[in-house]
Amino acid sequence: EPRATHIVQLRAGVSVEQGEAIVRAAGGRVMGTLPIIDGVAARLPAGARAAVARSASVASVSENARVRSQAELLDASKLAPVYTRSVFAPMAWAWATGEGVGVAVIDTGIDGRLPDFDAAEGGSRVVASVVTNPDATTARDTYGHGTHVAGIIAGNGNRRTDDNAGRYVGIAPNADLIAIKASDDAGNATILDAIYGLQFAVDHKDEYNIRVVNLSLSSTEAESYRTDPLDAAVEAAYFSG
């Protein structure tokens, strides 16, 4: 199945149905709708992008660029034993450990089988796992980045029974995690995959008490925040609570 090549954002007052009609009239193919940003995912052949962009009903047309994981700037192995203390997390644990709060991690998935993600009452604190990338064949983290990020956020090594017991603890060690796999099995993703992840988080906010969303990724194509569809989706998620 071909992927969307562009993300079309509509002006205020223009319905998604009208946006779909604009894409089709220009010779494009509608691949999905994006209510979170009042937009449409589309395949636009040569010449169609300009035709869509000229419409008075369209705010912007952006490429569905690939995203990449954010690289570590420092040696994480040296920082691991002290990073919670460096942000004064232990001072907050007396009154806030993330208990009952859902954190959505839009990444490569999370390995919820690890004891670091066990719940005190049994089971896993990875309470949901979904996929927004059509090229992924499993919801499992087959790449590793999402599990790494989830450990920083909410890992709890106090439940381990090996030599690492108690050595590595995340910032909110009792928080629930919602794994949103926006990548394929090799860690590749596009802006659209991440936006669909944000849409899931907004749509299921009350179901999982999602109060925090984490995206440790960046677009491979620089674009102004005034038109960038991922920026728009993040802002919409913020205003959704």
Side-chain angles (χ1 to χ4, degrees):
E1 179 69 21
R3 303 293 300 275
T5 58
H6 292 85
I7 299 166
V8 180
Q9 294 184 76
L10 306 171
R11 295 195 183 280
V14 179
S15 70
V16 171
E17 290 75 16
Q18 289 174 294
E20 291 178 298
I22 291 167
V23 167
R24 294 191 183 102
R29 178 180 173 187
V30 175
M31 304 300 293
T33 58
L34 305 167
I36 192 171
I37 58 170
D38 296 324
V40 176
R43 282 188 70 81
L44 299 177
R49 174 176 180 168
V52 171
R54 282 195 298 269
S55 170
S57 299
V58 171
S60 66
V61 180
S62 304
E63 287 188 27
N64 180 28
R66 290 194 173 276
V67 297
R68 55 174 171 245
S69 300
Q70 289 179 337
E72 292 290 337
L73 300 179
L74 298 169
D75 184 352
S77 66
K78 295 178 181 177
L79 297 176
V82 298
Y83 75 90
T84 51
R85 282 176 284 163
S86 70
V87 297
F88 303 104
M91 296 174 63
W93 288 340
W95 53 273
T97 61
E99 184 81 34
V101 174
V103 181
V105 181
I106 301 176
D107 213 289
T108 64
I110 302 173
D111 187 352
R113 300 167 299 177
L114 294 173
D116 306 72
F117 301 128
D118 284 351
E121 64 278 10
S124 175
R125 286 182 292 115
V126 181
V127 296
S129 294
V130 299
V131 176
T132 60
N133 188 314
D135 295 329
T137 63
T138 175
R140 292 189 301 108
D141 185 4
T142 52
Y143 188 70
H145 187 267
T147 300
H148 162 73
V149 169
I152 294 173
I153 295 169
N156 192 337
N158 290 317
R159 299 192 176 103
R160 298 189 68 94
T161 58
D162 58 12
D163 291 342
N164 284 321
R167 293 185 62 199
Y168 299 92
V169 179
I171 299 299
N174 290 332
D176 291 331
L177 293 161
I178 295 84
I180 301 177
K181 184 172 180 176
S183 77
D184 62 16
D185 297 341
N188 302 305
T190 69
I191 291 172
L192 190 56
D193 300 317
I195 292 176
Y196 281 133
L198 282 162
Q199 183 76 62
F200 179 90
V202 169
D203 291 346
H204 297 271
K205 175 175 66 75
D206 295 336
E207 183 179 354
Y208 299 114
N209 194 31
I210 299 173
R211 302 295 303 280
V212 180
V213 176
N214 187 90
L215 297 110
S216 294
L217 51 83
S218 58
S219 175
T220 57
E221 296 292 333
E223 186 172 346
S224 168
Y225 75 93
R226 295 177 182 273
T227 58
D228 187 277
L230 185 55
D231 283 357
V234 169
E235 185 175 53
Y238 170 81
F239 284 117
S240 296

